[in-house]
């Protein structure tokens, strides 16, 4: 830690898994290996049948883990088509940058509903809106929304940088929209990466404290929210939270929102971290030896933000500037909070 870096190793992560977890993961590994035999040449009927079987198996496994919430497993059947369509567009190699952002926004709106508003509640809040119609008098409208202030107004967005930045802003915006007090979450920014020269079974996760911006006191006793498009191994989240706990931070709860999660990543996270719930729009069965989710959707960070060169990576403020007027205008309250976090730490 003398160089300002915290390192977590893959073998430490696997230590949280039970023998039953390992057996379940091996079952999915075998099923996916058999499925891949239908990829070349493509056998559509066999692929459909195999994915259906894997889906049922993952649903059976997740039923044993109440802190793993999968949209297509936990919502009514009528909502599944929306999830399937959004995921299919995000996976598609033909989906361009603008579309990818649009469908990411839709995905996180759905995840927000799953976590906060799908449960029935008789208590409501009211939004009173001034409309543009002012003849013969100024007009107003009233709209009811669920009263979830108690669920959201103690929340802190914890951003594992780059690909997680825009999803975190989307979640914070949803919280602001549902808050009766227009609550804007604080933002804590962490520079976490994994050593991609290594394999999944000996991976290292590196938290760079010198390039992170956070306030330990602001997170203690709070509901910590992490929003990362992909949860492959779970290593980045566990690294950050274990470090915070070593510094005396005691979260009230931890929520991890993913567009796609590998089964192994969800199992590791919920085993390693107390009072942590994983919400994922779609669960994929396995990872390859490089710890990439399969079938996956590629590098979500690059598809959201564009690719950086290793020689001149953008810092957080440059990344925000590159989002352009449409994004910065939509999330201006969130961007002000992020700027306060970064500039206040310099």
């Amino acid at each position: 830690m003398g160089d300002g870096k915290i390192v977590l190793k893959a073998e430490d992560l696997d230590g949280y898994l039970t023998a039953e977890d390992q057996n379940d993961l091996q079952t999915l590994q075998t099923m996916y290996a058999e499925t891949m035999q239908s990829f070349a040449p493509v056998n559509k009927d066999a692929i459909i049948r195999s994915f259906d079987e894997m889906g049922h198996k993952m649903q059976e496994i997740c039923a044993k883990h109440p802190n793993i919430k999968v949209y297509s497993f936990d919502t009514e059947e009528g909502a599944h088509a929306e999830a399937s369509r959004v995921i299919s567009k995000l996976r598609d190699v033909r989906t361009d940058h603008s579309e990818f952002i649009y469908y990411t926004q839709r995905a996180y709106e759905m995840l927000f509903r799953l976590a906060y508003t799908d449960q029935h509640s008789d208590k409501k809040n009211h939004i009173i809106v001034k409309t543009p119609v002012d003849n013969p008098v100024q007009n107003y409208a009233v709209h009811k929304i669920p009263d979830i202030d108690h669920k959201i107004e103690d929340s802190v967005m914890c951003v594992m940088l780059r690909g997680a930045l825009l999803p975190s802003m989307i979640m914070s915006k949803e919280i602001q929209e549902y808050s009766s007090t227009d609550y804007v979450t604080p933002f804590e920014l962490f520079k976490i990466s994994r050593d991609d020269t290594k394999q999944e079974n000996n991976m290292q996760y590196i938290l760079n404290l010198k390039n992170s911006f956070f306030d330990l006191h602001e997170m203690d006793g709070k509901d910590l929210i992490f929003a990362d498009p992909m949860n492959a191994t779970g290593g980045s989240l566990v690294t950050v939270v274990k470090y915070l706990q070593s510094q005396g931070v005691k979260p009230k709860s931890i929520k991890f929102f993913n567009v796609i999660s590998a089964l192994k990543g969800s199992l590791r996270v919920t085993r390693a971290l107390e009072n942590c719930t994983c919400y994922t729009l779609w669960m994929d069965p396995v990872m390859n030896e490089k710890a990439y989710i399969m079938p996956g959707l590629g590098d979500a960070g690059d598809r959201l933000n564009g690719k950086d060169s290793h020689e001149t990576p953008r810092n957080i403020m440059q990344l925000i500037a590159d989002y352009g007027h449409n994004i910065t205008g939509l999330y201006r309250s969130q961007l002000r909070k992020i700027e306060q976090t970064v500039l206040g730490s310099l």
Side-chain angles (χ1 to χ4, degrees):
M1 180 170 165
D3 60 355
K5 293 181 179 178
I6 308 296
V7 179
L8 179 71
K9 297 180 180 179
E11 55 262 35
D12 298 323
L13 273 174
D14 281 340
Y16 294 108
L17 297 175
T18 67
E20 184 180 20
D21 294 337
Q22 298 282 14
N23 288 336
D24 287 337
L25 291 167
Q26 185 56 55
T27 297
L28 265 299
Q29 195 76 42
T30 300
M31 294 176 75
Y32 195 78
E34 293 172 354
T35 303
M36 289 176 67
Q37 296 175 17
S38 302
F39 289 174
V42 173
N43 183 334
K44 291 184 178 180
D45 290 339
I47 292 172
I48 290 170
R49 184 169 58 252
S50 293
F51 271 93
D52 190 50
E53 291 171 356
M54 286 188 291
H56 286 299
K57 185 61 180 178
M58 286 188 288
Q59 187 169 9
E60 175 188 313
I61 293 169
C62 289
K64 299 182 290 187
H65 301 274
N67 283 7
I68 298 177
K69 307 291 186 183
V70 182
Y71 189 90
S72 53
F73 299 165
D74 284 68
T75 58
E76 72 282 358
E77 190 172 349
H80 299 175
E82 182 184 10
S84 290
R85 190 62 185 151
V86 168
I87 288 293
S88 69
K89 293 296 289 187
L90 288 167
R91 288 197 201 274
D92 197 328
V93 68
R94 298 169 297 179
T95 299
D96 64 17
H97 174 67
S98 298
E99 272 192 307
F100 197 86
I101 289 177
Y102 168 73
Y103 284 106
T104 297
Q105 289 171 314
R106 282 185 58 181
Y108 274 97
E109 288 165 2
M110 294 164 68
L111 285 168
F112 182 89
R113 294 199 303 269
L114 174 64
Y116 292 108
T117 67
D118 277 357
Q119 301 84 6
H120 178 72
S121 171
D122 291 327
K123 193 174 181 184
K124 301 292 182 184
N125 268 334
H126 296 86
I127 301 175
I128 301 176
V129 181
K130 182 193 289 188
T131 80
V133 179
D134 58 8
N135 186 12
V137 296
Q138 176 65 60
N139 274 243
Y140 293 86
V142 176
H143 298 276
K144 293 180 181 179
I145 61 170
D147 180 3
I148 58 171
D149 284 352
H150 63 290
K151 296 181 181 180
I152 59 178
E153 292 197 346
D154 219 12
S155 298
V156 177
M157 292 304 309
C158 299
V159 185
M160 296 184 291
L161 291 183
R162 310 226 41 91
L165 180 60
L166 186 55
S168 299
M169 290 160 55
I170 296 168
M171 288 299 295
S172 178
K173 178 78 171 180
E174 288 295 298
I175 288 172
Q176 182 184 9
E177 293 295 314
Y178 274 90
S179 165
S180 65
T181 63
D182 200 40
Y183 176 71
V184 180
T185 63
F187 279 79
E188 312 296 333
L189 310 172
F190 301 92
K191 178 64 172 175
I192 181 80
S193 60
R194 68 187 199 187
D195 185 349
D196 282 334
T197 66
K198 296 182 177 294
Q199 303 291 306
E200 193 274 327
N201 61 3
N202 67 352
M203 188 69 69
Q204 292 186 348
Y205 306 86
I206 305 159
L207 172 59
N208 187 330
L209 298 176
K210 292 181 179 178
N211 292 327
S212 298
F213 308 93
F214 57 86
D215 182 344
L216 294 171
H217 299 293
E218 200 164 49
M219 291 178 280
D220 191 30
K222 300 297 179 62
D223 297 306
L224 304 186
I225 299 176
F226 295 79
D228 197 328
M230 310 290 283
N231 174 23
T233 66
S236 294
L237 177 70
V238 174
T239 303
V240 170
V241 175
K242 289 294 185 182
Y243 166 74
L244 294 176
Q245 290 174 333
S246 76
Q247 300 304 299
V249 174
K250 297 179 180 179
K252 185 164 69 173
S253 71
I254 301 164
K255 290 182 172 65
F256 192 25
F257 292 93
N258 316 115
V259 176
I260 291 178
S261 179
L263 175 61
K264 188 174 188 178
S266 291
L267 288 172
R268 278 170 159 175
V269 164
T270 53
R271 290 294 192 198
L273 303 176
E274 186 179 355
N275 202 16
C276 175
T277 305
C278 284
Y279 298 90
T280 186
L281 195 62
W282 205 267
M283 181 161 283
D284 275 0
V286 298
M287 291 177 283
N288 65 15
E289 62 201 18
K290 296 294 289 181
Y292 296 142
I293 299 175
M294 296 197 298
L297 54 73
D299 191 316
D302 285 351
R303 296 184 74 179
L304 280 171
N305 302 325
K307 215 167 195 175
D308 275 355
S309 68
H310 288 293
E311 295 77 21
T312 57
R314 290 166 291 176
N315 63 35
I316 191 74
M317 304 310 292
Q318 291 168 329
L319 193 60
I320 288 171
D322 284 350
Y323 280 150
H325 175 72
N326 287 342
I327 295 295
T328 56
L330 183 60
Y331 299 106
R332 57 187 179 274
S333 297
Q334 285 67 39
L335 292 174
R336 279 197 296 270
K337 285 284 191 178
I338 292 168
E339 289 171 354
Q340 290 169 7
T341 300
V342 175
L343 297 177
S345 300
L346 296 178

